[in-house]
Amino acid sequence: MNAHIESLTLSQVQARLEALHPRLQQLPPLGSRPLTIAGRVCGWITARATEAVQALEGVRVEREAVHVGARFVNPSAALNALLANVAVALKEAGCARGWRDELLDVVGEGCRLGAIERAAVRPMGLLTRAVHLNAWTPDGRLYVARRSATKNTDPDMLDTLVGGLAGVGEDMDTALVRESYEEAGLAETDIAPRDSVRTIVRMHRRLPEGYQVEDVLVSECVLADSVAPRNIDGEVSEIMAVTPAQLWQLLTEEQFTLEASLVILDSLRSRLMQTA
């Protein structure tokens, strides 16, 4: 691999990473308010989402913040039922984009409080956790994927080979193994020599549907020549292995999603630092 990145410099990669920073750390959308769930600070709910849920029993709207399930002090079926009602209200108001019938953890102040439909997390500014896999070939190329044209977010853009949100109750390694199969047809044994999953950054980004608060995590591995990634879940239209030179050109042309750019640049920086 090292011979293939001779033309790249650490300063080039670092400069590109620094250029991403303003897009990775943004204030909440105008009119958003802090959100608490079961008495714990959890997110930033948009003005439109606040209007959609303000009449629900168990929701209290104040000038300073919006409180959901304030009487609950522990995770419970009743709190999850309230969160389900909140998600439905957001859907009916047109706030919950891309309904998936997929539950994600609700986390506040480091504690898991309950679960909510994935489509509701951005309007509420709830924390999500995304796992990525940088998968290299033995000769130093990186596998990348092109997102399906039907994806709600960043259709047709390039992405890491594997990238997705951890589901309800999943630890990060379990989520990575699941996503590796769904997105690239990789068995756990195919990625067995992977690095431990590590957090790169907690990003804060304004989106049309709300606020993305997300921990971006990554693992790396080298796939054997006998392993041929293939998409299973239909969310990827193409998988290819690109050289570092091709990778750099695609990065400078901004053909990757923001998260993928961050994950790949972080990998290139680490590899360059090892050779410095």
Side-chain angles (χ1 to χ4, degrees):
M1 171 69 188
N2 295 343
H4 294 274
I5 59 173
E6 286 178 341
S7 60
L8 289 180
T9 67
L10 187 58
S11 60
Q12 281 179 302
V13 173
Q14 187 63 37
R16 190 128 199 106
L17 277 167
E18 291 173 1
L20 293 181
H21 185 79
R23 297 166 59 194
L24 293 169
Q25 302 300 341
Q26 299 176 337
L27 294 174
L30 187 65
S32 298
R33 302 184 213 193
L35 171 70
T36 75
I37 296 176
R40 295 182 182 272
V41 177
C42 289
W44 289 87
I45 187 167
T46 65
R48 186 179 174 200
T50 297
E51 184 178 353
V53 304
Q54 63 185 350
L56 291 178
E57 183 178 356
V59 175
R60 186 174 80 254
V61 176
E62 298 179 346
R63 186 171 63 86
E64 298 85 2
V66 176
H67 307 281
V68 175
R71 67 185 180 88
F72 298 105
V73 294
N74 294 303
S76 66
L79 177 57
N80 280 336
L82 173 56
L83 292 172
N85 289 340
V86 167
V88 169
L90 293 173
K91 179 182 180 182
E92 291 176 348
C95 296
R97 176 181 175 186
W99 192 274
R100 300 278 291 266
D101 288 320
E102 179 181 341
L103 294 177
L104 302 183
D105 285 331
V106 174
V107 177
E109 300 173 15
C111 299
R112 182 183 177 277
L113 304 175
I116 197 167
E117 157 64 32
R118 175 172 173 162
V121 300
R122 302 309 183 208
M124 300 172 74
L126 299 175
L127 174 66
T128 53
R129 297 163 299 169
V131 290
H132 292 262
L133 178 70
N134 276 330
W136 299 86
T137 66
D139 65 357
R141 292 170 295 149
L142 181 68
Y143 281 108
V144 299
R146 185 173 300 280
R147 296 165 67 85
S148 167
T150 61
K151 293 282 286 184
N152 286 319
T153 305
D154 297 326
D156 276 330
M157 292 197 73
L158 293 177
D159 208 340
T160 51
L161 177 64
V162 174
L165 299 184
V168 62
E170 282 189 320
D171 61 56
M172 298 302 98
D173 198 63
T174 299
L176 179 69
V177 170
R178 174 183 54 77
E179 289 285 345
S180 293
Y181 175 73
E182 293 175 358
E183 298 201 347
L186 299 174
E188 187 170 4
T189 52
D190 294 331
I191 59 173
R194 65 189 178 277
D195 296 339
S196 298
V197 178
R198 61 184 177 86
T199 303
I200 298 178
V201 72
R202 177 168 292 181
M203 62 186 293
H204 301 80
R205 180 168 60 150
R206 291 188 297 270
L207 298 175
E209 64 270 30
Y211 197 39
Q212 180 182 13
V213 182
E214 187 160 286
D215 285 343
V216 180
L217 301 99
V218 65
S219 176
E220 301 218 8
C221 72
V222 176
L223 297 180
D225 282 328
S226 58
V227 176
R230 69 193 190 286
N231 181 245
I232 301 295
D233 62 10
E235 296 188 1
V236 168
S237 62
E238 179 184 10
I239 292 174
M240 54 190 142
V242 297
T243 66
Q246 293 169 324
L247 190 60
W248 186 251
Q249 180 176 349
L250 294 170
L251 285 164
T252 56
E253 293 173 353
E254 297 191 352
Q255 295 199 38
F256 284 96
T257 68
L258 176 61
E259 294 93 327
S261 295
L262 171 66
V263 169
I264 292 168
L265 286 166
D266 181 81
S267 177
L268 290 173
R269 178 175 62 181
S270 296
R271 287 168 178 260
L272 285 165
M273 289 177 67
Q274 290 171 12
T275 63

